[in-house]
mmCIF file of all heavy atoms in Angstrom:
data_model
loop_
_atom_site.group_PDB
_atom_site.id
_atom_site.type_symbol
_atom_site.label_atom_id
_atom_site.label_comp_id
_atom_site.label_asym_id
_atom_site.label_seq_id
_atom_site.Cartn_x
_atom_site.Cartn_y
_atom_site.Cartn_z
ATOM 1 N N ASN B 895 100.660 59.985 104.590
ATOM 2 C CA ASN B 895 100.327 61.146 103.669
ATOM 3 C C ASN B 895 101.007 62.414 104.212
ATOM 4 O O ASN B 895 100.561 63.007 105.174
ATOM 5 C CB ASN B 895 98.824 61.319 103.640
ATOM 6 C CG ASN B 895 98.381 62.434 102.776
ATOM 7 O OD1 ASN B 895 99.169 62.921 101.959
ATOM 8 N ND2 ASN B 895 97.076 62.783 102.831
ATOM 9 N N THR B 896 102.170 62.799 103.577
ATOM 10 C CA THR B 896 102.844 63.991 104.074
ATOM 11 C C THR B 896 102.334 65.251 103.395
ATOM 12 O O THR B 896 102.886 66.299 103.682
ATOM 13 C CB THR B 896 104.355 63.871 103.832
ATOM 14 O OG1 THR B 896 104.664 64.205 102.495
ATOM 15 C CG2 THR B 896 104.889 62.477 104.198
ATOM 16 N N HIS B 897 101.310 65.164 102.573
ATOM 17 C CA HIS B 897 100.700 66.363 102.049
ATOM 18 C C HIS B 897 100.019 67.099 103.175
ATOM 19 O O HIS B 897 99.443 66.468 104.047
ATOM 20 C CB HIS B 897 99.725 66.059 100.958
ATOM 21 C CG HIS B 897 100.309 65.817 99.624
ATOM 22 N ND1 HIS B 897 101.579 66.252 99.251
ATOM 23 C CD2 HIS B 897 99.885 65.210 98.465
ATOM 24 C CE1 HIS B 897 101.877 65.900 98.045
ATOM 25 N NE2 HIS B 897 100.864 65.233 97.529
ATOM 26 N N GLY B 898 99.990 68.427 103.136
ATOM 27 C CA GLY B 898 99.415 69.216 104.200
ATOM 28 C C GLY B 898 97.929 69.019 104.247
ATOM 29 O O GLY B 898 97.240 69.001 103.172
ATOM 30 N N TYR B 899 97.334 68.914 105.446
ATOM 31 C CA TYR B 899 95.895 68.877 105.570
ATOM 32 C C TYR B 899 95.424 70.288 105.914
ATOM 33 O O TYR B 899 95.966 70.946 106.779
ATOM 34 C CB TYR B 899 95.505 67.954 106.790
ATOM 35 C CG TYR B 899 95.501 66.484 106.399
ATOM 36 C CD1 TYR B 899 96.723 65.856 106.124
ATOM 37 C CD2 TYR B 899 94.328 65.742 106.313
ATOM 38 C CE1 TYR B 899 96.695 64.493 105.826
ATOM 39 C CE2 TYR B 899 94.365 64.391 105.988
ATOM 40 C CZ TYR B 899 95.554 63.798 105.735
ATOM 41 O OH TYR B 899 95.574 62.465 105.370
ATOM 42 N N GLY B 900 94.481 70.762 105.170
ATOM 43 C CA GLY B 900 94.005 72.112 105.412
ATOM 44 C C GLY B 900 93.295 72.582 104.180
ATOM 45 O O GLY B 900 92.677 71.803 103.490
ATOM 46 N N LEU B 901 93.422 73.878 103.894
ATOM 47 C CA LEU B 901 92.700 74.451 102.731
ATOM 48 C C LEU B 901 93.311 73.918 101.429
ATOM 49 O O LEU B 901 92.671 73.794 100.404
ATOM 50 C CB LEU B 901 92.766 76.001 102.750
ATOM 51 C CG LEU B 901 91.857 76.607 103.873
ATOM 52 C CD1 LEU B 901 92.167 78.085 103.980
ATOM 53 C CD2 LEU B 901 90.390 76.345 103.507
ATOM 54 N N PHE B 902 94.602 73.566 101.529
ATOM 55 C CA PHE B 902 95.269 72.886 100.371
ATOM 56 C C PHE B 902 94.616 71.579 100.127
ATOM 57 O O PHE B 902 94.276 70.850 101.080
ATOM 58 C CB PHE B 902 96.726 72.695 100.809
ATOM 59 C CG PHE B 902 97.578 71.840 99.947
ATOM 60 C CD1 PHE B 902 97.765 72.165 98.625
ATOM 61 C CD2 PHE B 902 98.260 70.764 100.460
ATOM 62 C CE1 PHE B 902 98.564 71.403 97.789
ATOM 63 C CE2 PHE B 902 99.126 69.986 99.633
ATOM 64 C CZ PHE B 902 99.241 70.292 98.318
ATOM 65 N N THR B 903 94.397 71.216 98.834
ATOM 66 C CA THR B 903 93.639 70.003 98.529
ATOM 67 C C THR B 903 94.480 68.708 98.680
ATOM 68 O O THR B 903 93.910 67.662 98.727
ATOM 69 C CB THR B 903 93.067 70.047 97.102
ATOM 70 O OG1 THR B 903 94.103 70.500 96.241
ATOM 71 C CG2 THR B 903 91.884 70.961 97.004
ATOM 72 N N GLY B 904 95.807 68.893 98.616
ATOM 73 C CA GLY B 904 96.665 67.689 98.581
ATOM 74 C C GLY B 904 96.407 66.693 99.685
ATOM 75 O O GLY B 904 96.226 65.494 99.404
ATOM 76 N N GLY B 905 96.278 67.154 100.921
ATOM 77 C CA GLY B 905 96.135 66.231 102.022
ATOM 78 C C GLY B 905 94.829 65.485 101.977
ATOM 79 O O GLY B 905 94.808 64.239 101.993
ATOM 80 N N PHE B 906 93.765 66.178 101.813
ATOM 81 C CA PHE B 906 92.417 65.507 101.842
ATOM 82 C C PHE B 906 92.195 64.606 100.650
ATOM 83 O O PHE B 906 91.601 63.508 100.765
ATOM 84 C CB PHE B 906 91.307 66.558 101.963
ATOM 85 C CG PHE B 906 91.142 67.011 103.409
ATOM 86 C CD1 PHE B 906 91.827 68.156 103.855
ATOM 87 C CD2 PHE B 906 90.462 66.238 104.333
ATOM 88 C CE1 PHE B 906 91.716 68.607 105.156
ATOM 89 C CE2 PHE B 906 90.337 66.652 105.625
ATOM 90 C CZ PHE B 906 90.962 67.851 106.043
ATOM 91 N N GLY B 907 92.647 65.004 99.461
ATOM 92 C CA GLY B 907 92.438 64.188 98.314
ATOM 93 C C GLY B 907 93.084 62.746 98.481
ATOM 94 O O GLY B 907 92.400 61.752 98.267
ATOM 95 N N VAL B 908 94.286 62.744 98.953
ATOM 96 C CA VAL B 908 94.976 61.449 99.169
ATOM 97 C C VAL B 908 94.239 60.704 100.283
ATOM 98 O O VAL B 908 94.024 59.492 100.213
ATOM 99 C CB VAL B 908 96.448 61.692 99.550
ATOM 100 C CG1 VAL B 908 97.082 60.413 100.093
ATOM 101 C CG2 VAL B 908 97.224 62.234 98.382
ATOM 102 N N HIS B 909 93.793 61.414 101.289
ATOM 103 C CA HIS B 909 93.150 60.869 102.444
ATOM 104 C C HIS B 909 91.885 60.092 102.036
ATOM 105 O O HIS B 909 91.649 58.945 102.346
ATOM 106 C CB HIS B 909 92.794 61.966 103.443
ATOM 107 C CG HIS B 909 92.315 61.449 104.751
ATOM 108 N ND1 HIS B 909 93.252 61.170 105.778
ATOM 109 C CD2 HIS B 909 91.119 61.203 105.248
ATOM 110 C CE1 HIS B 909 92.552 60.790 106.838
ATOM 111 N NE2 HIS B 909 91.281 60.742 106.514
ATOM 112 N N TYR B 910 91.021 60.831 101.277
ATOM 113 C CA TYR B 910 89.729 60.183 100.797
ATOM 114 C C TYR B 910 89.994 58.977 99.889
ATOM 115 O O TYR B 910 89.307 57.974 100.058
ATOM 116 C CB TYR B 910 88.891 61.247 100.077
ATOM 117 C CG TYR B 910 88.432 62.398 100.913
ATOM 118 C CD1 TYR B 910 88.358 63.693 100.385
ATOM 119 C CD2 TYR B 910 88.103 62.201 102.244
ATOM 120 C CE1 TYR B 910 87.924 64.755 101.193
ATOM 121 C CE2 TYR B 910 87.678 63.279 103.016
ATOM 122 C CZ TYR B 910 87.608 64.556 102.523
ATOM 123 O OH TYR B 910 87.195 65.596 103.237
ATOM 124 N N GLY B 911 90.958 59.158 99.010
ATOM 125 C CA GLY B 911 91.236 57.970 98.100
ATOM 126 C C GLY B 911 91.778 56.803 98.837
ATOM 127 O O GLY B 911 91.392 55.689 98.596
ATOM 128 N N GLY B 912 92.668 57.087 99.824
ATOM 129 C CA GLY B 912 93.275 55.998 100.613
ATOM 130 C C GLY B 912 92.179 55.237 101.378
ATOM 131 O O GLY B 912 92.198 53.977 101.403
ATOM 132 N N GLN B 913 91.270 55.996 101.963
ATOM 133 C CA GLN B 913 90.195 55.340 102.752
ATOM 134 C C GLN B 913 89.220 54.587 101.830
ATOM 135 O O GLN B 913 88.737 53.516 102.174
ATOM 136 C CB GLN B 913 89.464 56.409 103.604
ATOM 137 C CG GLN B 913 90.348 56.960 104.652
ATOM 138 C CD GLN B 913 89.607 57.802 105.681
ATOM 139 O OE1 GLN B 913 88.536 58.375 105.370
ATOM 140 N NE2 GLN B 913 90.154 57.857 106.843
ATOM 141 N N LYS B 914 89.031 55.146 100.663
ATOM 142 C CA LYS B 914 88.087 54.501 99.693
ATOM 143 C C LYS B 914 88.606 53.085 99.318
ATOM 144 O O LYS B 914 87.819 52.163 99.193
ATOM 145 C CB LYS B 914 88.028 55.378 98.460
ATOM 146 C CG LYS B 914 87.059 54.819 97.339
ATOM 147 C CD LYS B 914 85.724 55.460 97.491
ATOM 148 C CE LYS B 914 84.739 54.874 96.441
ATOM 149 N NZ LYS B 914 83.387 55.372 96.671
ATOM 150 N N ILE B 915 89.853 52.919 99.127
ATOM 151 C CA ILE B 915 90.386 51.578 98.778
ATOM 152 C C ILE B 915 90.578 50.740 100.050
ATOM 153 O O ILE B 915 91.023 49.547 99.936
ATOM 154 C CB ILE B 915 91.719 51.639 97.994
ATOM 155 C CG1 ILE B 915 92.794 52.316 98.781
ATOM 156 C CG2 ILE B 915 91.500 52.358 96.633
ATOM 157 C CD1 ILE B 915 94.174 52.198 98.114
ATOM 158 N N GLY B 916 90.290 51.306 101.189
ATOM 159 C CA GLY B 916 90.387 50.548 102.393
ATOM 160 C C GLY B 916 91.716 50.483 103.030
ATOM 161 O O GLY B 916 91.996 49.666 103.887
ATOM 162 N N ALA B 917 92.680 51.294 102.528
ATOM 163 C CA ALA B 917 93.965 51.347 103.110
ATOM 164 C C ALA B 917 93.942 52.071 104.439
ATOM 165 O O ALA B 917 92.901 52.671 104.829
ATOM 166 C CB ALA B 917 94.961 52.058 102.174
ATOM 167 N N THR B 918 95.027 51.959 105.206
ATOM 168 C CA THR B 918 95.128 52.670 106.469
ATOM 169 C C THR B 918 95.865 53.964 106.201
ATOM 170 O O THR B 918 97.043 53.900 105.788
ATOM 171 C CB THR B 918 95.896 51.794 107.509
ATOM 172 O OG1 THR B 918 95.306 50.552 107.534
ATOM 173 C CG2 THR B 918 95.911 52.401 108.859
ATOM 174 N N VAL B 919 95.234 55.129 106.459
ATOM 175 C CA VAL B 919 95.931 56.364 106.192
ATOM 176 C C VAL B 919 96.470 57.008 107.432
ATOM 177 O O VAL B 919 95.775 57.088 108.483
ATOM 178 C CB VAL B 919 94.879 57.364 105.487
ATOM 179 C CG1 VAL B 919 95.570 58.663 105.156
ATOM 180 C CG2 VAL B 919 94.246 56.737 104.291
ATOM 181 N N ILE B 920 97.721 57.412 107.309
ATOM 182 C CA ILE B 920 98.339 58.171 108.442
ATOM 183 C C ILE B 920 98.369 59.617 108.011
ATOM 184 O O ILE B 920 99.162 60.037 107.142
ATOM 185 C CB ILE B 920 99.814 57.714 108.682
ATOM 186 C CG1 ILE B 920 99.857 56.190 108.800
ATOM 187 C CG2 ILE B 920 100.345 58.355 109.923
ATOM 188 C CD1 ILE B 920 101.347 55.647 108.827
ATOM 189 N N PRO B 921 97.486 60.426 108.614
ATOM 190 C CA PRO B 921 97.381 61.869 108.172
ATOM 191 C C PRO B 921 98.417 62.803 108.847
ATOM 192 O O PRO B 921 98.081 63.643 109.602
ATOM 193 C CB PRO B 921 95.972 62.239 108.614
ATOM 194 C CG PRO B 921 95.707 61.385 109.810
ATOM 195 C CD PRO B 921 96.547 60.107 109.680
ATOM 196 N N ILE B 922 99.673 62.524 108.541
ATOM 197 C CA ILE B 922 100.735 63.224 109.359
ATOM 198 C C ILE B 922 101.005 64.639 108.855
ATOM 199 O O ILE B 922 101.537 65.443 109.621
ATOM 200 C CB ILE B 922 101.971 62.341 109.351
ATOM 201 C CG1 ILE B 922 103.049 62.918 110.290
ATOM 202 C CG2 ILE B 922 102.561 62.125 107.965
ATOM 203 C CD1 ILE B 922 104.160 62.012 110.667
ATOM 204 N N SER B 923 100.691 64.953 107.562
ATOM 205 C CA SER B 923 100.997 66.267 107.046
ATOM 206 C C SER B 923 102.530 66.507 106.851
ATOM 207 O O SER B 923 103.315 65.603 107.206
ATOM 208 C CB SER B 923 100.540 67.425 107.849
ATOM 209 O OG SER B 923 99.162 67.546 107.785
ATOM 210 N N THR B 924 102.884 67.605 106.332
ATOM 211 C CA THR B 924 104.339 67.899 105.985
ATOM 212 C C THR B 924 105.063 68.286 107.287
ATOM 213 O O THR B 924 104.499 68.788 108.232
ATOM 214 C CB THR B 924 104.414 69.045 104.987
ATOM 215 O OG1 THR B 924 103.443 68.861 103.987
ATOM 216 C CG2 THR B 924 105.789 69.150 104.443
ATOM 217 N N GLY B 925 106.382 68.022 107.256
ATOM 218 C CA GLY B 925 107.216 68.467 108.359
ATOM 219 C C GLY B 925 107.423 67.358 109.440
ATOM 220 O O GLY B 925 106.914 66.222 109.241
ATOM 221 N N GLN B 926 108.060 67.746 110.489
ATOM 222 C CA GLN B 926 108.421 66.805 111.614
ATOM 223 C C GLN B 926 109.059 65.563 111.029
ATOM 224 O O GLN B 926 108.626 64.420 111.246
ATOM 225 C CB GLN B 926 107.147 66.350 112.374
ATOM 226 C CG GLN B 926 106.269 67.480 112.903
ATOM 227 C CD GLN B 926 105.174 66.824 113.747
ATOM 228 O OE1 GLN B 926 105.385 66.328 114.851
ATOM 229 N NE2 GLN B 926 103.982 66.809 113.210
ATOM 230 N N THR B 927 110.137 65.782 110.237
ATOM 231 C CA THR B 927 110.709 64.701 109.491
ATOM 232 C C THR B 927 111.166 63.511 110.365
ATOM 233 O O THR B 927 110.967 62.372 109.944
ATOM 234 C CB THR B 927 111.849 65.240 108.635
ATOM 235 O OG1 THR B 927 111.380 66.369 107.900
ATOM 236 C CG2 THR B 927 112.402 64.226 107.669
ATOM 237 N N LEU B 928 111.652 63.796 111.539
ATOM 238 C CA LEU B 928 112.110 62.630 112.417
ATOM 239 C C LEU B 928 110.886 61.841 112.793
ATOM 240 O O LEU B 928 110.999 60.613 112.828
ATOM 241 C CB LEU B 928 112.804 63.182 113.607
ATOM 242 C CG LEU B 928 114.157 63.946 113.286
ATOM 243 C CD1 LEU B 928 114.878 64.394 114.555
ATOM 244 C CD2 LEU B 928 115.103 63.091 112.404
ATOM 245 N N ARG B 929 109.846 62.468 113.094
ATOM 246 C CA ARG B 929 108.582 61.768 113.423
ATOM 247 C C ARG B 929 108.111 60.952 112.278
ATOM 248 O O ARG B 929 107.652 59.831 112.415
ATOM 249 C CB ARG B 929 107.535 62.928 113.827
ATOM 250 C CG ARG B 929 106.258 62.371 114.352
ATOM 251 C CD ARG B 929 106.286 62.422 115.865
ATOM 252 N NE ARG B 929 105.160 61.674 116.420
ATOM 253 C CZ ARG B 929 103.967 62.260 116.594
ATOM 254 N NH1 ARG B 929 103.799 63.527 116.228
ATOM 255 N NH2 ARG B 929 102.958 61.565 117.079
ATOM 256 N N GLN B 930 108.198 61.528 111.031
ATOM 257 C CA GLN B 930 107.801 60.785 109.860
ATOM 258 C C GLN B 930 108.536 59.461 109.777
ATOM 259 O O GLN B 930 107.952 58.434 109.532
ATOM 260 C CB GLN B 930 108.130 61.619 108.596
ATOM 261 C CG GLN B 930 107.517 62.991 108.545
ATOM 262 C CD GLN B 930 106.153 63.040 107.804
ATOM 263 O OE1 GLN B 930 105.606 61.986 107.435
ATOM 264 N NE2 GLN B 930 105.647 64.210 107.582
ATOM 265 N N ILE B 931 109.876 59.615 110.029
ATOM 266 C CA ILE B 931 110.710 58.428 109.828
ATOM 267 C C ILE B 931 110.397 57.380 110.905
ATOM 268 O O ILE B 931 110.325 56.208 110.653
ATOM 269 C CB ILE B 931 112.186 58.814 109.886
ATOM 270 C CG1 ILE B 931 112.501 59.634 108.565
ATOM 271 C CG2 ILE B 931 113.105 57.679 110.058
ATOM 272 C CD1 ILE B 931 113.830 60.301 108.536
ATOM 273 N N GLU B 932 110.159 57.908 112.122
ATOM 274 C CA GLU B 932 109.800 56.982 113.206
ATOM 275 C C GLU B 932 108.530 56.218 112.879
ATOM 276 O O GLU B 932 108.455 55.024 113.059
ATOM 277 C CB GLU B 932 109.557 57.851 114.455
ATOM 278 C CG GLU B 932 109.468 57.027 115.752
ATOM 279 C CD GLU B 932 109.129 57.930 116.965
ATOM 280 O OE1 GLU B 932 109.127 59.149 116.788
ATOM 281 O OE2 GLU B 932 108.904 57.331 118.005
ATOM 282 N N LEU B 933 107.544 56.918 112.362
ATOM 283 C CA LEU B 933 106.296 56.263 112.054
ATOM 284 C C LEU B 933 106.416 55.283 110.860
ATOM 285 O O LEU B 933 105.762 54.259 110.821
ATOM 286 C CB LEU B 933 105.136 57.302 111.763
ATOM 287 C CG LEU B 933 104.757 58.183 112.913
ATOM 288 C CD1 LEU B 933 103.457 58.935 112.629
ATOM 289 C CD2 LEU B 933 104.612 57.385 114.218
#
Side-chain angles (χ1 to χ4, degrees):
Chain B
N895 183 12
T896 79
H897 278 340
Y899 281 70
L901 288 169
F902 171 56
T903 46
F906 281 95
V908 169
H909 191 88
Y910 295 144
Q913 291 192 334
K914 181 96 182 172
I915 60 171
T918 308
V919 182
I920 311 171
I922 187 166
S923 289
T924 316
Q926 306 185 72
T927 308
L928 296 183
R929 188 95 190 276
Q930 302 268 8
I931 290 169
E932 190 185 355
L933 297 193

